[in-house]
Amino acid sequence: MAMKKQRVLALVDENLVPPDDAKGHDVVNAPWKMEFDVVHTLREKGHEVLPVGVGSELGVIRKAIQEFQPTIAFN
């Protein structure tokens, strides 16, 4: 049974937002390796993913929810 495709809001530390493409990056030693792996895997599974960097200003979450309208948030 196939899983329904989701619009995933991936909340990550503002300093660990992964690049969309890992070409030219040392992913194995990158501080954002875990975040990249999660986002990349979700995209491979066919989900639409928006990584959002979050720090002390939480308004970015509200803005992302309003604009992206995710079906789920992943932290």
Side-chain angles (χ1 to χ4, degrees), residues 32-53:
W32 41 258
K33 179 188 184 324
M34 179 178 63
E35 290 79 358
F36 177 82
D37 289 344
V38 169
V39 169
H40 182 73
T41 300
L42 288 168
R43 286 179 175 158
E44 278 187 338
K45 298 292 182 184
H47 303 294
E48 188 176 352
V49 183
L50 176 65
V52 174

Side-chain angles (χ1 to χ4, degrees), residues 63-74:
K63 181 179 179 188
I65 290 171
Q66 291 171 343
E67 293 177 3
F68 186 63
Q69 298 183 351
T71 54
I72 190 168
F74 187 88

